[in-house]
Amino acid sequence: IGIWLLDADGHIFYSNQAAAAIWGEAPLVGPDEYVTYKAWKYQTDEPLKNEDWAASRVRVSGKPFLDDLLRIERFNGEMGVVLN
């Protein structure tokens, strides 16, 4: 399971080895840069915006989310599928 730790402002400050296996060498970014991670909603092929990522939705609502199936482009260019 890929794990990212974020501070209260939404900046990613840690990712585990599983996260690296999912995304490749992924940058640690803040909430305005989540789109650095390229992803599309699996059912509609709509690209994710900064506010669509689970981390952004948790910051706004205070509730956890794990409900979006996404197609992703890893940082090495390979494609994959994840649950956001």
Side-chain angles (χ1 to χ4, degrees), residues 3-69:
I3 297 172
W4 292 262
L5 298 180
L6 294 78
D7 65 19
D9 294 324
H11 292 87
I12 302 169
F13 66 87
Y14 170 81
S15 62
N16 68 358
Q17 288 182 345
I22 293 167
W23 283 97
E25 290 299 318
L28 304 179
V29 298
D32 294 335
E33 303 165 308
Y34 290 162
V35 294
T36 302
Y37 290 76
K38 296 179 184 175
W40 299 263
K41 294 180 180 181
Y42 193 84
Q43 299 297 331
T44 65
D45 213 31
E46 178 185 345
L48 255 64
K49 298 175 245 167
N50 285 326
E51 61 270 14
D52 295 330
W53 286 97
S56 292
R57 294 185 292 161
V58 168
R59 287 182 59 230
V60 170
S61 71
K63 299 177 184 176
F65 288 88
L66 189 62
D67 60 354
D68 284 334
L69 192 60

